[in-house]
Amino acid sequence: MKILVWHVHGSWTTAFVQGPHTYLVPVLPERGPDGLGRARTFAWPDSVREVTPTQLRDAPVDLVVLQRPHEAALAENWLGGRRPGRDVPAVYLEHNAPDGDVPNTRHPCADRDDLLLVHVTHFNRLFWDNGGTRTAVIEHGVVDPGHRYTGRLDRAAVVVNEPVRRGRFTGTDLLPALAEAAPLDVFGMRTEGLAGHLGLPPDRCRTADLPQRDLHDAMAERRLYLHPVRWTSLGLSLLEAMHLGMPVVALATTEVIEAVPPGAGVLSTRPEVLAAAARHYREEPQAAAEDGARARRAALERHGLKRFLDDWERVMEEVTHG
């Protein structure tokens, strides 16, 4: 099939485009949010092709994967008037947990009969008000980076984008107390100045924005993976950490309690419990490695790439052929 999909979420798209299809990714001259084109820091196969709006006008498209509310009108315009869901089969992929008026948040695609609404976690489907729209859940899949864990650095890895702006959503306010239990290395976009913002000494909260090929090696050198996120969809970085063989210390919120089984780390809604777990892993490297190995096995079983792609094949077959 030829699938039109915008480059919105680099990590998710990296897994999605490993399938057997041709993936048409819009590109604009300025490479802004509606035309990023191919990823520059992720490894994508040659089956991912950049296309301009002009090229899309007469291009054969078998399926449109929508990810943002405005993409339906954008697609109709760029596809020469063909409407996603009516003239071209479509799914709407919802990456996020609802934001605002929870648990009564109405989804933008609620009560539509012309597309399938796909959520990435069961928690998200439960908390969004989907109305009468048909829904499915396809849990994340991860391209396996391999068991790289060494834990040689007595520090905790945190992966989060824009921690200052996102604040309480990503648990940024919890970092000062957690940094007392373990020095933090915070990786992600727009993390610069975080230590100063939190009033922490630079060595207790170091930051860096690394491409994925370097990020995985850097994460795997840290003793543990810390996930202090209060309210967001299940972070792919958490699943990548588990694939790497890292023990997880995380807030027991949203879908985390489903993704991290007993023995793969420590989950709690009490930050002091997470701090104690971080200290434990620092003091007991062997326990950290053993829990990390269990985390890897669990992640491979539930969030492996084959299961993810098989789930998408079933959904795409249903949507395009009834």
Side-chain angles (χ1 to χ4, degrees):
M1 288 194 290
K2 290 182 171 59
I3 301 171
L4 174 60
V5 56
W6 272 264
H7 176 185
V8 174
H9 189 307
S11 294
W12 180 88
T13 311
T14 297
F16 183 67
V17 299
Q18 305 302 316
H21 307 289
T22 298
Y23 304 90
L24 306 178
V25 177
V27 64
L28 294 171
E30 70 279 10
R31 293 189 179 267
D34 289 334
L36 278 175
R38 285 179 56 93
R40 298 179 177 183
T41 59
F42 295 89
W44 287 3
D46 293 339
S47 56
V48 182
R49 300 180 184 172
E50 293 186 342
V51 287
T52 66
T54 301
Q55 291 171 326
L56 278 171
R57 182 162 295 275
D58 299 313
V61 173
D62 300 301
L63 176 69
V64 180
V65 178
L66 304 169
Q67 301 170 77
R68 297 168 296 175
H70 73 279
E71 288 180 359
L74 203 60
E76 182 178 349
N77 182 32
W78 290 0
L79 292 172
R82 288 173 287 172
R83 296 167 298 171
R86 299 294 183 187
D87 305 308
V88 185
V91 300
Y92 189 103
L93 173 65
E94 179 53 68
H95 289 284
N96 300 313
D99 180 10
D101 197 29
V102 177
N104 299 316
T105 319
R106 185 97 166 148
H107 196 277
C109 290
D111 290 329
R112 288 187 60 167
D113 62 1
D114 59 344
L115 53 70
L116 178 69
L117 175 54
V118 179
H119 292 283
V120 297
T121 72
H122 292 275
F123 180 93
N124 290 0
R125 178 163 70 172
L126 177 68
F127 270 75
W128 277 106
D129 176 3
N130 305 301
T133 305
R134 290 187 306 126
T135 62
V137 175
I138 300 181
E139 295 185 312
H140 287 306
V142 172
V143 178
D144 183 17
H147 193 165
R148 305 189 195 183
Y149 179 72
T150 66
R152 69 177 187 83
L153 298 179
D154 186 17
R155 302 179 67 87
V158 182
V159 179
V160 60
N161 290 325
E162 302 186 78
V164 175
R165 181 184 68 81
R166 296 169 71 192
R168 287 178 57 84
F169 279 81
T170 53
T172 305
D173 59 301
L174 304 176
L175 294 180
L178 293 169
E180 294 181 8
L184 310 177
D185 288 327
V186 182
F187 302 100
M189 295 186 293
R190 288 179 281 283
T191 55
E192 60 276 0
L194 180 60
H197 173 77
L198 297 174
L200 290 171
D203 188 58
R204 300 303 290 190
C205 183
R206 303 190 306 210
T207 62
D209 183 5
L210 303 176
Q212 189 185 55
R213 60 181 176 271
D214 299 327
L215 175 61
H216 287 159
D217 283 335
M219 290 169 63
E221 290 183 323
R222 275 65 188 175
R223 186 68 50 80
L224 65 126
Y225 183 78
L226 178 64
H227 190 72
V229 178
R230 277 193 183 87
W231 187 261
T232 187
S233 191
L234 182 62
L236 273 164
S237 56
L238 170 68
L239 300 179
E240 290 168 357
M242 293 173 68
H243 274 78
L244 291 167
M246 301 185 72
V248 171
V249 175
L251 279 180
T253 57
T254 62
E255 192 78 357
V256 171
I257 58 171
E258 293 284 343
V260 185
V266 176
L267 308 181
S268 178
T269 54
R270 297 164 56 188
E272 60 271 22
V273 173
L274 303 189
R279 292 189 183 96
H280 167 68
Y281 285 136
R282 293 184 65 197
E283 295 166 359
E284 300 290 341
Q286 185 61 34
E290 291 171 357
D291 286 3
R294 281 187 285 269
R296 174 170 167 77
R297 289 195 293 270
L300 286 171
E301 180 177 349
R302 183 162 184 168
H303 296 283
L305 185 64
K306 183 179 185 305
R307 191 276 310 155
F308 171 77
L309 293 175
D310 286 349
D311 285 355
W312 269 106
E313 285 301 305
R314 284 191 290 271
V315 161
M316 290 189 287
E317 178 68 22
E318 173 194 338
V319 171
T320 56
H321 294 100

